[in-house]
C-alpha cells in the first residue's frame, strides 16, 4: 500500500518518510486508503516517550499523502535473534524495560498498538523503539469480528476477533519476550499447517512454553495468561523490570547489557546504514540538496518509483522541506513500515564490511526457514534450504578485514577470492580444521554478510595459507558487487 523513503531535512535531520502508492488502475490514492492513513497519522501523533519513533510531520491531505517519522538506524529484534540467537535473562530485562515504557506511553495516550512483535521493535544502542501504528486503534473505539495483527504474537481474544484492549498488547509483549528468550513464538507448532489452523491455535490459546529459561517465568508467564483481566498492566511490569535494572545502576546501553555478538551487530548495522545514507546523498544530490515539491495532479503521478535508482516523488507541506536520499526496497503490506535502507545496497567504494562472519553449520532443512530450526538461521536462495548455524564461540568467527579481494572466473561460474589478515588467518585455519572433523552437513561453513547467507561450502580438510574462495551462482556483475562489499577497490 505504500513505500518508505529515507530523507534529510535542510537542518540535516534524517527521517523516514512513508507515502501511499496510487492505485495502479485509477492513478490516485483511494478515499479509503487516505482515511486509513490519516487515522494512522493521528494515532501516531498521540504517542510520546523516548521508546517510540516520534512523528516529525505529515500531510494526509496531500496529493501524495505522507508522514515523516524519526529514522532509527538499528536492526529489529527479529533480525538480531535470527543472526545472533536468543538472549540471556539479564539482557532480556533491559530490553523489556524499554518495551514496557513504550507501552506505558501508548496506553497513557488512550491507544492500543495491536501489532507488537519482534520485527516491529528496533534496537539502537540506547534501548528499543516500538514502531508502526498502522493498525493501532483508540481504546475508546469498539471493534468486533475483525482480526488484526500477527497471529504468532497476537492475544487469543485478538485472534478470535473480539475487542482488543491494553491487556492484548501485554500478551503480545509477553509473546515477544518469549521469542527473545527461546527463538520461537509461544504458540504450539507456530508456522506449521495452514493459516487457518494457526489462527485456530491462537484463538484457543494453545501455548507451548517449554524451553523458557529459569528466572523469566515471573516476568513472561503472567503476560501470557488466557484471561485478559488477570494479565499485569504495563505500569506493574515497569515496576518489576525496573527493580532488576536497579541492581546494576552503572549499566546503561547495549554494551553493558547485551552479549558481545548483539552489541557488535547493533554497532555495525548503525555504521553501515550511516555509510549508505552518505553514499546515497552523494549519488542523488552530489552538489546540492533538491527541495521536494508537490507534483502536479496528473495521471503520470501513478508512476511512483519502483527501485532505489529512481528519483522519489516530490512532496510539499507548508513549513516542511525534506531532501530525499534513498528509497527503501520493497512494498508495505498490512500497514507495516520498512525502517531500513535497501538490504545489500550500494557500498561505498573501497569500504570494508565489518559484519562478515563465518560459522559451522549445525542443521540444514529443505525450504524456507521456519520455527522447525532454532535460530540463528539463514535461507539459501541457491540451494532452496535453511541453514542453522552454531552459536558456540569456538565454532564461529567475525572477520575484522579482508585483503586482496578480487573476482575470478572459474569452471562453473564467477567466484570471489580473498585473503585474511594474520590473526583471522589462524582462526580460519582452526575453523576449517574443526569443520573437517565433522560429518555432513556439520562440515559446512556458513559465510554470512549482515543478514545474508552468501555461501555454505563443505570442508573436507583444513585450509591453511589464509585465503578462501567464495563460489555460488554468481554472474560477473553480482560477483563484482559482492567483492566491493567485502572490500575490493
Amino acid at each position: 500500500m505504500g513505500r518508505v523513503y529515507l530523507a534529510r531535512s535542510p537542518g540535516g535531520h534524517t527521517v523516514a518518510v512513508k507515502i501511499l502508492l496510487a492505485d495502479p488502475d485509477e492513478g490516485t490514492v483511494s478515499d479509503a486508503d487516505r482515511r486509513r492513513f490519516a487515522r494512522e497519522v493521528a494515532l501516531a501523533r498521540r504517542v510520546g516517550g523516548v521508546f517510540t519513533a516520534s512523528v516529525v510531520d505529515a500531510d494526509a491531505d496531500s496529493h501524495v499523502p505522507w508522514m515523516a517519522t524519526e529514522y532509527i538506524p538499528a536492526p529489529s529484534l527479529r533480525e538480531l535473534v535470527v543472526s545472533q540467537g536468543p538472549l540471556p535473562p539479564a539482557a532480556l530485562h533491559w530490553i523489556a524495560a524499554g518495551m514496557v515504557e513504550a507501552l506505558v506511553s501508548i496506553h497513557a495516550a488512550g491507544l492500543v498498538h495491536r501489532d507488537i512483535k519482534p520485527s516491529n521493535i528496533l534496537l539502537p544502542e540506547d534501548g528499543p523503539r516500538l514502531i508502526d501504528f498502522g493498525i493501532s486503534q483508540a481504546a475508546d473505539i469498539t471493534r468486533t469480528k475483525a482480526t488484526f495483527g500477527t497471529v504468532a504474537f497476537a492475544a487469543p481474544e485478538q485472534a478470535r476477533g473480539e475487542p482488543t484492549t491494553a491487556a492484548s498488547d501485554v500478551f503480545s509483549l509477553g509473546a515477544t519476550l518469549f521469542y527473545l528468550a527461546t527463538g520461537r513464538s509461544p504458540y504450539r507448532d507456530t508456522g506449521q499447517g495452514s493459516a487457518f489452523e494457526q489462527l485456530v491455535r491462537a484463538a484457543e490459546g494453545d501455548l507451548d512454553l517449554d524451553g523458557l529459561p529459569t528466572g523469566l517465568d515471573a516476568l513472561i508467564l503472567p503476560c501470557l495468561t488466557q484471561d485478559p483481566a488477570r494479565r499485569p498492566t504495563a505500569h506493574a511490569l515497569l515496576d518489576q523490570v525496573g527493580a532488576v535494572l536497579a541492581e546494576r545502576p552503572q549499566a546503561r546501553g547495549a554494551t553493558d547489557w547485551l552479549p558481545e555478538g548483539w552489541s557488535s551487530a547493533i554497532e555495525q548495522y548503525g555504521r553501515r546504514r550511516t555509510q549508505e545514507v552518505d553514499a546515497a546523498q552523494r549519488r542523488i544530490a552530489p552538489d546540492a540538496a533538491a527541495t521536494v515539491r508537490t507534483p502536479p495532479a496528473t495521471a503520470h503521478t501513478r508512476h511512483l518509483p519502483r527501485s532505489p535508482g529512481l528519483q522519489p516523488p516530490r512532496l510539499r507541506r507548508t513549513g516542511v522541506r525534506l531532501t530525499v536520499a534513498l528509497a527503501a526496497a520493497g512494498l508495505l503490506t498490512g500497514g507495516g513500515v520498512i525502517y531500513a535502507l535497501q538490504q545489500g545496497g550500494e557500498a561505498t567504494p573501497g569500504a570494508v564490511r565489518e559484519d562478515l562472519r563465518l560459522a559451522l553449520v549445525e542443521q540444514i532443512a529443505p525450504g524456507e526457514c521456519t520455527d522447525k530450526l532454532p535460530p540463528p538461521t539463514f535461507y539459501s536462495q541457491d540451494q532452496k534450504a535453511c541453514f542453522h548455524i552454531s552459536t558456540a564461540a569456538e565454532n564461529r568467527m567475525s572477520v575484522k578485514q579482508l585483503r586482496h579481494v578480487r573476482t575470478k572466473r572459474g569452471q562453473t561460474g564467477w567466484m570471489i577470492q580473498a585473503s585474511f589478515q594474520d590473526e583471522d588467518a589462524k582462526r580460519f585455519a582452526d575453523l576449517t580444521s574443526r569443520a573437517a572433523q565433522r560429518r555432513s552437513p556439520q562440515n559446512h561453513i556458513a559465510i554470512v554478510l549482515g543478514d545474508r547467507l552468501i555461501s555454505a561450502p563443505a570442508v573436507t580438510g583444513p585450509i591453511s595459507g589464509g585465503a578462501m574462495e567464495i563460489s555460488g551462482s554468481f554472474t560477473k556483475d553480482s560477483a563484482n558487487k559482492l567483492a566491493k562489499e567485502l572490500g575490493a577497490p
Side-chain angles (χ1 to χ4, degrees), residues 247-263:
E247 296 175 0
R248 296 180 57 190
Q250 302 304 318
R252 299 296 180 188
T255 54
D256 294 323
W257 286 101
L258 301 180
E260 182 179 354
W262 276 60
S263 57

Side-chain angles (χ1 to χ4, degrees), residues 40 52 84 96-97 189 193 229 277 328 331 375 415 432 435 447 470 484:
E40 176 184 352
T52 57
Q84 303 299 323
D189 300 328
V277 169
L331 295 177
M415 65 179 63
T432 57
I447 304 172
I470 304 175
K484 287 184 177 181

Side-chain angles (χ1 to χ4, degrees), residues 67 125 262 323 328 426:
M67 174 174 64
E125 166 67 26
W262 276 60
T323 303
K426 181 179 183 302

Side-chain angles (χ1 to χ4, degrees), residues 1 21 48 75 145 151 176 193 231 269 279 300 311 319 340 385 399 461 481:
M1 62 175 293
L21 294 177
K145 305 305 179 185
V151 172
T176 298
R231 295 171 199 154
Y269 189 104
H300 296 290
Q311 289 287 354
V399 181
K481 181 178 179 180

Side-chain angles (χ1 to χ4, degrees), residues 175-240:
T176 298
L177 295 178
F178 186 91
Y179 176 85
L180 289 182
T182 65
R184 64 176 180 85
S185 161
Y187 284 116
R188 190 177 306 280
D189 300 328
T190 299
Q192 300 183 35
S194 67
F196 179 76
E197 290 172 327
Q198 295 178 58
L199 183 63
V200 168
R201 286 197 291 268
E204 294 177 346
D206 187 7
L207 302 179
D208 175 10
L209 302 178
D210 289 344
L212 184 63
T214 303
L216 292 176
D217 294 25
L219 173 63
I220 295 177
L221 295 186
C223 297
L224 300 178
T225 301
Q226 298 296 306
D227 182 358
R230 297 178 57 191
R231 295 171 199 154
T233 64
H235 278 288
L237 290 171
L238 190 58
D239 291 339
Q240 185 177 351

Side-chain angles (χ1 to χ4, degrees), residues 124 136 144 204 208 281 289 312 322 359 437 440 446 481:
S136 302
T144 58
E204 294 177 346
D208 175 10
Q281 181 72 17
L322 299 175
Q437 299 173 23
S440 181
K481 181 178 179 180

